[in-house]
Amino acid sequence: MASAVAHAHDVHTHEEHHEHHHETFLTKYVFSTDHKTIAKQFLVTGILWAFVGGLLSILFRLKLGFPEMDYTWLKPLLGKWVTGEAGQGQLDPEFYLALVTMHGTIMVFFVLTAGLSGTFSNFLIPLQIGARDMASGFLNMLSYWFFFASSVIMAASFFLDGGPAAGGWVVYPPLSALPQALKGSGSGMTYWLVSMTLFIISSLLGGINYITTVINLRTKGMTFSRLPLTIWAFFVTAIIGLLSFPVLFSAALLLVFDRSLGTSFYLSDIYVAGQALDHTGGSAILYQHLFWFLGHPEVYIVLLPALGITSEIIATNARKPIFGYKAMVGSILFIGILSFIVWAHHMFVTGMDPFLGSIFMFLTLIIAVPSAVKAFNYITTLWRGNIRYTPAMLFSIGLVSLFISGGVTGIILGNNALDIYLHDTYYVVAHFHLVMGSASFFGMMAGVYHWFPKMFGRMMDEKLGYIHFWLTFIGVYLVFFPMHFIGIAGFPRRYYEFSAYAAFRDEVYLNLNQFISVAAVITFGAQLIFGFNFFYSMWRGRKATQNPWNSNTLEWTAPLEPGHGNWPGQIPFVYRWAYDYSKPNAEKDGFTDFIPQNVPYSMTPHSNLPHENEMIALEKEEMLPHDTTLELAELAKKKEVTA
Amino acid sequence: MNGLLLTSIAVLVLVMFFIVFRMSNLVSILRTKSKKGEEIDVSTNNFHAYLFLLLPLAGTIWAFWYGIKHSGLWWQPDAAIHGAEYDWLSKIAHVIIILMFLVTNAALFYFAYKYRYKRNHKATFYPDNMKLEVVWTIVPAIILAVLVFTGWNLWRKVTKDAPENAIQIEVVGKQFNWIARYPGKDGKFGGYNFRYTDDVNELGLDFTDKNVNDDFQATELVLVKGKPVQLKIRARDVIHSVSLPHFRQKMDAVPGQPTTMWFIPTKTTQEMREELKSNPEYLKPDPSTTKGDPKDMKARWETFDYEIVCQEICGRGHFSMRMRVIVLDEKEYEAWVAKQEPFVVKNKEYVSEAIKRQTKMKQASGQALVENTSMSN
Ligand code: HEM
Ligand SMILES: [Cu+2]
Ligand SMILES: [Cu+2]
């Protein structure tokens, strides 16, 4: 059935292709419906946002590391947010909160959701499942432009008089609902809400497309059990997003009502700025339930694509099949389901019923099991491999390490008794920056280095990639590991300064904070190398070959720079899973250490496993008559023999 | 000064990279000519493999050394009945996760080193192993189950209802300070209504309620050693959070949705200061006292205080929303209470005006709108 659809689509885009022969600049690069172009748009926008988000963090890290620093030199950049006379310029405390808030929002949503999932789901789904494009190119284009509009509005909020939203990335009401309580809760918050609404629409449009495409447009032979793990990850991510983003939308909508229509969904019994407000009967906690119902799945929306990318890269570069493919798929699905029923672990100390707290502790700790399984499987994939360190591989191994190091502290935080002390301290900051922030960021970088040749037909410079990796890897550990120490000492998040408290006045804490800040500056500096490498290589990089990493997945069978439609001729068929690396006896079949997915078992009699030999009969019946891509497979083989 | 330092570091780093890039470019041009056909550059492979072995090792050693060197500094000194159990559980759990962290990271980096690329070597085709998978699903599950149950035990103790004899204190958060209210001799809090709030009557007390008459307010939270205390927590404007790190307790203050928390302090402030004298970290000077006259310099144990830390972002002054907490012994506490004057006594004139206002408000808008929140005791 699925392949019938694929064929129908096939023909369809072919016809379309003829009509649209003269693409203008506008249709080719701006309002493009080609999934590859859209992916690049997401990527470039995501990278730009990452630099903005990073810069914001440097600004507030300077304050934390050097509390007495003179901010006057930043006045040209920050304007009125630096107060005090020259020589003793101070960062405005509310602007500090705005910086923290925008940093979180930008990184979580714009960089690690749109920039990561948007880029790689778009780029890889059609190419790896063997489709000409997304199910709906038009909706896909809209998805990007909604994201773009959302970005513009969020960026514009920096220039508002009251500054951007400042209530933390979770924007809990009443703080976010009352401009009297916080400047950023005025028009800054309105912009935030509008921007996020557009962002949610963008995510939903993208998600619907990813799901339909994976279900309907797989090429012949690409069964679910042969999907590369990247696609599994993108697929489950899109489903999670589709189910949880609408809840964020309703949370935001009710907040809009409270803010502008005088309703009382979240507000009750409030006396602020010398005035008792009329709101009664609302529940501030309701918002938190709604927010975290998205918020927790969101952390997996951010992480799963990175894990998928890593699976692919680790298998390719260890020259080994990913260990426990079925367990990997199983844990992705299990994590996907569980991620919906643990949200209240962010709310253990909101006064919730202690019994409910117990339930959420059990559910939360169950989710650690599939996470652990994934980590073990990555490690075993390296075991007895033949590991080539491309920059992508380095970042993937870095990801696994960060995922473990940040994941284990989840076990502490999920334990509600222990969480009482640690909640909203830097311990939590350390936890999620390692497990989510850094791990996903590493996944994104790995993906960029790995698929850059497919995107731009050129290679990124490896040496710069190596330097970028090592500085970043060392850097993030130096930044986030010491945060465990000050977190255990009880340091609260979102604090402008700690000097008011006797508990936090010790030179060791000060030194640690200073250390972290310096490490952050250097780590940020290292990203400039990446920025340079990325844009430089786009135009001046070494020309890539068609399959530079000797990889099995379908995208590498497409031409070096595929046009709209991806494969000039017929779409390749798929006969095997994506992980036939270093298969025993492959040499006897004329292959080196990899057998691409489009090579039929009938061509590899020596290396087939017993049950694979049985598949040959099926291949003969169903597939071979149609398949002109065998030539492609044959080509791949010859190339290997000469190499 | 620091800005200058940082900028120069950044510039230096950038210059370094640029040079490395230029050099490596030249080198790679030379190399690609000599080694045509080899697509993936594996010339630096060993370098990365060794780094994967060395750097994590160095980092781990450093972290352990640093953590142990300042071990007197990490957990805030504990002064609650549950504190000892909390600290014990926390330590066990941390030992377990540190072991997990070490073993898995060690395996990862060791394999990364050991199985680095070798020419003419072929990886082992090893797609799965059911037994292994089952083992490493079940083992973590068991470890987690043990942790969950010990945690659950403690959670239930901490969150169960406060003992009958607990001292009750109302703690109210507002931008940007805390106010405490004690029920006075009758042991009963007077009711309140947020609509009665103003600059003087900060807690919106209802003066038509007789129970209010002996309630007194304080800007410091005074507790009794050895006696359970229950805090009745509310917020006036936005969400705040009453965090008491030394008592291993924390509870959000939510407008319109009062919460409670209880614990038992085990050491008076004075006792804690004495005890901290034996912790070398607390013999160092408090940095906030080192700027002025050397005579005023104080050691950290001297300036030690229990405190409420606001732990939920609440606006501009969030970072300084502190309340001092003082633990006294029973006698000292009695003496302190005896000295406190009820709000009604302190503000006689204001209260007589306020009673009129409040009565009028009640009549004007009917019971429904001005429903008092009476405090159950
Ligand atoms: C091993 C499994 C994990 C457990 C048991 C766990 C548990 C927790 C708990 C209980 C909290 C709340 C802490 C607090 O605020 O007091 C938390 C926070 C967080 N976790 Fe995890 N976690 C796990 C894995 C992950 C993963 C894989 C990610 C991301 C991909 C993640 C991302 C986050 C984030 C973003 C927060 C903080 C949100 C905020 O307060 O701003 N966690 N985690
Ligand atoms: Cu969560
Ligand atoms: Cu606060």
Side-chain angles (χ1 to χ4, degrees):
Chain A
M1 229 276 313
S3 53
V5 178
H7 272 268
H9 182 75
D10 217 303
V11 176
H12 170 73
T13 36
H14 252 269
E15 282 165 4
E16 225 171 43
H17 218 71
H18 287 289
E19 289 163 29
H20 286 273
H21 240 306
H22 331 271
E23 286 176 321
T24 62
F25 177 81
L26 215 60
T27 55
K28 187 148 181 235
Y29 294 108
V30 183
F31 296 109
S32 169
T33 54
D34 184 346
H35 70 102
K36 298 184 292 298
T37 310
I38 296 172
K40 290 175 205 170
Q41 291 172 329
F42 269 109
L43 181 60
V44 172
T45 317
I47 289 176
L48 293 180
W49 269 125
F51 278 106
V52 174
L55 191 66
L56 300 183
S57 74
I58 296 303
L59 291 178
F60 64 72
R61 249 348 294 185
L62 286 180
K63 171 67 196 165
L64 292 173
F66 306 92
E68 263 133 58
M69 192 183 96
D70 171 21
Y71 264 78
T72 311
W73 61 288
L74 281 167
K75 211 160 166 115
L77 181 65
L78 302 180
K80 67 169 184 239
W81 300 113
V82 175
T83 55
E85 289 153 34
Q88 31 189 313
Q90 281 293 313
L91 193 62
D92 181 79
E94 271 186 56
F95 192 65
Y96 174 89
L97 295 179
L99 288 174
V100 178
T101 303
M102 296 316 273
H103 166 74
T105 306
I106 289 169
M107 288 304 194
V108 172
F109 294 110
F110 290 4
V111 178
L112 295 179
T113 305
L116 174 59
S117 188
T119 302
F120 290 102
S121 297
N122 262 314
F123 191 73
L124 292 180
I125 288 177
L127 277 169
Q128 287 198 334
I129 66 171
R132 299 241 175 251
D133 203 326
M134 283 289 176
S136 166
F138 178 70
L139 289 188
N140 209 21
M141 176 188 87
L142 277 188
S143 164
Y144 174 74
W145 288 103
F146 268 102
F147 169 51
F148 186 82
S150 154
S151 295
V152 169
I153 292 175
M154 196 64 84
S157 77
F158 278 96
F159 302 99
L160 293 171
D161 209 34
W169 78 282
V170 298
V171 295
Y172 285 172
L175 185 62
S176 61
L178 305 173
Q180 308 93 304
L182 184 72
K183 274 201 222 95
S185 298
S187 40
M189 190 58 208
T190 307
Y191 276 50
W192 193 96
L193 286 165
V194 173
S195 167
M196 282 310 295
T197 304
L198 296 176
F199 183 84
I200 292 168
I201 296 172
S202 156
S203 288
L204 293 180
L205 289 174
I208 293 172
N209 240 327
Y210 308 151
I211 295 170
T212 4
T213 308
V214 172
I215 293 179
N216 291 320
L217 300 186
R218 281 166 290 125
T219 183
K220 196 156 191 187
M222 182 60 95
T223 56
F224 269 91
S225 58
R226 285 177 186 158
L227 281 183
L229 285 170
T230 33
I231 304 300
W232 268 111
F234 299 147
F235 180 59
V236 174
T237 302
I239 295 175
I240 299 177
L242 201 61
L243 295 177
S244 62
F245 267 113
V247 181
L248 178 66
F249 178 68
S250 52
L253 194 65
L254 300 189
L255 185 53
V256 169
F257 289 165
D258 273 10
R259 286 167 54 84
S260 34
L261 302 182
T263 56
S264 305
F265 289 104
Y266 306 133
L267 307 181
S268 182
D269 297 16
I270 291 168
Y271 177 89
V272 65
Q275 212 185 352
L277 305 185
D278 278 333
H279 303 272
T280 49
S283 163
I285 302 300
L286 169 65
Y287 173 86
Q288 298 187 16
H289 281 294
L290 294 175
F291 180 87
W292 287 112
F293 191 87
L294 158 96
H296 187 83
E298 169 66 19
V299 307
Y300 285 99
I301 291 174
V302 163
L303 184 69
L304 284 179
L307 291 179
I309 286 170
T310 299
S311 308
E312 180 59 32
I313 294 173
I314 286 190
T316 303
N317 289 295
R319 312 309 292 160
K320 270 189 70 186
I322 192 82
F323 182 78
Y325 173 84
K326 284 203 188 104
M328 291 300 243
V329 174
S331 50
I332 292 178
L333 289 171
F334 197 46
I335 287 175
I337 295 165
L338 279 176
S339 71
F340 280 99
I341 47 174
V342 299
W343 78 90
H345 64 216
H346 298 273
M347 302 166 57
F348 284 139
V349 298
T350 53
M352 70 183 340
D353 178 23
F355 177 69
L356 202 58
S358 308
I359 301 287
F360 274 100
M361 166 171 66
F362 286 113
L363 293 169
T364 297
L365 291 180
I366 293 174
I367 210 171
V369 175
S371 310
V373 168
K374 289 198 83 84
F376 294 141
N377 284 11
Y378 286 129
I379 294 172
T380 315
T381 304
L382 296 184
W383 182 71
R384 307 190 74 172
N386 197 26
I387 305 168
R388 308 173 313 202
Y389 288 114
T390 62
M393 183 62 169
L394 291 170
F395 273 99
S396 298
I397 291 182
L399 179 154
V400 177
S401 172
L402 293 162
F403 178 55
I404 295 170
S405 308
V408 291
T409 49
I411 296 170
I412 304 281
L413 294 172
N415 196 324
N416 50 14
L418 299 181
D419 185 54
I420 294 175
Y421 177 86
L422 294 169
H423 173 66
D424 266 345
T425 63
Y426 268 83
Y427 195 88
V428 177
V429 179
H431 161 67
F432 73 78
H433 274 93
L434 288 175
V435 76
M436 175 176 88
S438 306
S440 305
F441 178 75
F442 272 48
M444 181 166 165
M445 287 300 118
V448 172
Y449 280 107
H450 195 75
W451 280 288
F452 193 89
K454 192 80 244 160
M455 288 182 177
F456 300 102
R458 292 172 184 274
M459 308 295 282
M460 285 178 79
D461 185 82
E462 283 115 43
K463 292 285 173 357
L464 285 182
Y466 296 148
I467 299 169
H468 173 218
F469 167 74
W470 284 108
L471 284 177
T472 311
F473 184 59
I474 298 167
V476 297
Y477 264 114
L478 293 187
V479 170
F480 297 117
F481 199 85
M483 286 189 188
H484 294 106
F485 288 132
I486 54 174
I488 287 176
F491 275 59
R493 299 169 68 176
R494 299 164 178 151
Y495 261 34
Y496 173 73
E497 219 173 68
F498 299 96
S499 54
Y501 295 86
F504 307 136
R505 281 199 300 261
D506 193 293
E507 59 195 26
V508 175
Y509 300 141
L510 260 175
N511 293 344
L512 266 180
N513 263 328
Q514 214 160 70
F515 179 89
I516 292 173
S517 295
V518 172
V521 171
I522 294 173
T523 314
F524 181 74
Q527 307 318 306
L528 299 179
I529 305 172
F530 169 79
F532 170 74
N533 195 356
F534 183 84
F535 289 106
Y536 178 87
S537 306
M538 231 154 102
W539 287 286
R540 305 282 306 272
R542 197 154 39 86
K543 276 266 180 219
T545 51
Q546 194 189 4
N547 186 0
W549 319 118
N550 293 343
S551 191
N552 281 341
T553 36
L554 283 190
E555 73 272 29
W556 305 108
T557 64
L560 187 57
E561 285 185 88
H564 200 166
N566 295 341
W567 286 269
Q570 199 178 4
I571 297 182
F573 291 169
V574 163
Y575 298 94
R576 59 180 74 229
W577 73 337
Y579 300 104
D580 271 343
Y581 290 106
S582 303
K583 214 170 183 193
N585 300 323
E587 320 76 51
K588 291 190 194 146
D589 295 322
F591 288 90
T592 53
D593 63 351
F594 71 110
I595 310 177
Q597 278 194 283
N598 62 330
V599 176
Y601 288 125
S602 53
M603 272 174 65
T604 56
H606 297 94
S607 63
N608 287 346
L609 303 173
H611 72 273
E612 290 169 347
N613 273 325
E614 288 162 23
M615 306 286 288
I616 294 179
L618 285 174
E619 277 172 6
K620 290 241 160 68
E621 269 170 36
E622 289 185 16
M623 305 202 172
L624 292 182
H626 311 279
D627 195 352
T628 57
T629 57
L630 272 183
E631 292 156 29
L632 266 175
E634 202 66 52
L635 264 174
K637 185 167 139 183
K638 285 216 194 78
K639 192 171 127 246
E640 285 328 307
V641 177
T642 51
Chain B
M1 177 48 213
N2 275 320
L4 201 69
L5 193 75
L6 283 174
T7 335
S8 49
I9 290 177
V11 169
L12 219 77
V13 169
L14 283 182
V15 168
M16 214 174 74
F17 288 131
F18 188 70
I19 294 171
V20 172
F21 176 65
R22 290 299 309 168
M23 272 168 35
S24 74
N25 243 5
L26 293 178
V27 172
S28 70
I29 287 167
L30 292 177
R31 183 142 5 76
T32 30
K33 275 192 187 133
S34 62
K35 263 205 283 172
K36 246 191 167 166
E38 184 143 82
E39 288 174 23
I40 297 167
D41 178 15
V42 286
S43 59
T44 57
N45 229 59
N46 287 343
F47 170 75
H48 302 300
Y50 286 118
L51 276 189
F52 268 139
L53 207 56
L54 290 180
L55 285 177
L57 197 66
T60 312
I61 291 172
W62 175 81
F64 269 87
W65 170 78
Y66 194 81
I68 292 168
K69 182 173 162 215
H70 293 295
S71 59
L73 207 50
W74 305 132
W75 272 276
Q76 293 292 335
D78 118 68
I81 285 275
H82 295 131
E85 192 175 341
Y86 175 93
D87 289 359
W88 181 83
L89 181 59
S90 179
K91 272 176 198 141
I92 296 289
H94 273 97
V95 168
I96 291 174
I97 68 159
I98 288 171
L99 284 178
M100 290 179 180
F101 162 83
L102 288 179
V103 170
T104 41
N105 267 312
L108 175 72
F109 291 127
Y110 178 68
F111 291 169
Y113 158 79
K114 175 98 192 279
Y115 300 108
R116 64 193 184 277
Y117 175 86
K118 295 182 191 78
R119 200 171 300 258
N120 303 327
H121 179 269
K122 197 166 173 179
T124 306
F125 187 80
Y126 190 62
D128 55 25
N129 180 332
M130 199 52 191
K131 259 193 220 142
L132 264 181
E133 301 266 9
V134 171
V135 168
W136 65 46
T137 308
I138 290 181
V139 170
I142 294 175
I143 297 176
L144 284 172
V146 173
L147 282 176
V148 166
F149 278 100
T150 41
W152 191 43
N153 230 350
L154 179 58
W155 169 257
R156 280 189 334 220
K157 279 187 210 166
V158 178
T159 58
K160 73 175 180 216
D161 292 340
E164 291 281 301
N165 64 338
I167 299 179
Q168 305 212 338
I169 307 171
E170 186 184 39
V171 175
V172 182
K174 64 176 256 286
Q175 288 182 328
F176 295 100
N177 62 290
W178 300 95
I179 301 162
R181 175 162 66 124
Y182 290 72
K185 285 195 201 70
D186 63 355
K188 285 189 184 135
F189 289 107
Y192 63 86
N193 187 314
F194 77 101
R195 289 179 205 279
Y196 299 157
T197 316
D198 59 33
D199 285 346
V200 181
N201 184 8
E202 289 187 301
L203 300 184
L205 302 182
D206 174 2
F207 299 110
T208 63
D209 181 349
K210 290 218 178 56
N211 289 336
V212 117
N213 289 341
D214 59 351
D215 293 3
F216 62 86
Q217 289 173 212
T219 50
E220 290 175 337
L221 187 66
V222 179
L223 309 174
V224 191
K225 174 188 162 182
K227 213 151 180 212
V229 52
Q230 182 181 27
L231 302 185
K232 300 187 160 269
I233 301 165
R234 63 185 169 103
R236 245 174 54 168
D237 36 37
V238 301
I239 302 179
H240 305 271
S241 184
V242 180
S243 174
L244 288 157
H246 307 99
F247 304 104
R248 308 294 187 253
Q249 263 293 24
K250 182 177 295 157
M251 181 56 72
D252 286 356
V254 186
Q257 219 159 312
T259 54
T260 86
M261 154 224 294
W262 75 275
F263 57 94
I264 309 177
T266 55
K267 291 166 197 161
T268 66
T269 302
Q270 211 44 51
E271 285 169 355
M272 185 55 105
R273 287 187 185 159
E274 293 300 320
E275 187 183 308
L276 286 176
K277 272 194 219 168
S278 62
N279 182 340
E281 298 291 347
Y282 285 82
L283 298 178
K284 295 180 304 192
D286 177 334
S288 71
T289 64
T290 53
K291 300 233 168 67
D293 195 335
K295 274 201 307 262
D296 299 335
M297 201 156 83
K298 290 214 169 86
R300 281 203 66 215
W301 68 266
E302 286 177 283
T303 58
F304 173 87
D305 257 319
Y306 300 119
E307 41 206 352
I308 290 182
V309 180
C310 182
Q311 205 125 12
E312 184 66 60
I313 181 175
C314 61
R316 186 181 187 88
H318 173 46
F319 68 98
S320 56
M321 194 169 148
R322 163 186 192 255
M323 185 185 228
R324 200 151 84 103
V325 179
I326 302 168
V327 180
L328 303 174
D329 63 25
E330 188 112 33
K331 252 209 223 127
E332 294 166 323
Y333 178 72
E334 301 286 308
W336 176 80
V337 168
K339 272 194 295 191
Q340 304 305 311
E341 250 188 320
F343 182 88
V344 176
V345 177
K346 263 193 195 161
N347 304 280
K348 279 209 184 86
E349 267 167 52
Y350 170 86
V351 169
S352 60
E353 284 299 307
I355 289 181
K356 285 181 214 153
R357 253 201 325 272
Q358 293 181 354
T359 321
K360 231 195 260 156
M361 271 173 86
K362 276 191 194 170
Q363 285 161 352
S365 42
Q367 271 319 99
L369 188 60
V370 199
E371 188 72 48
N372 272 348
T373 314
S374 59
M375 309 267 305
S376 60
N377 290 278

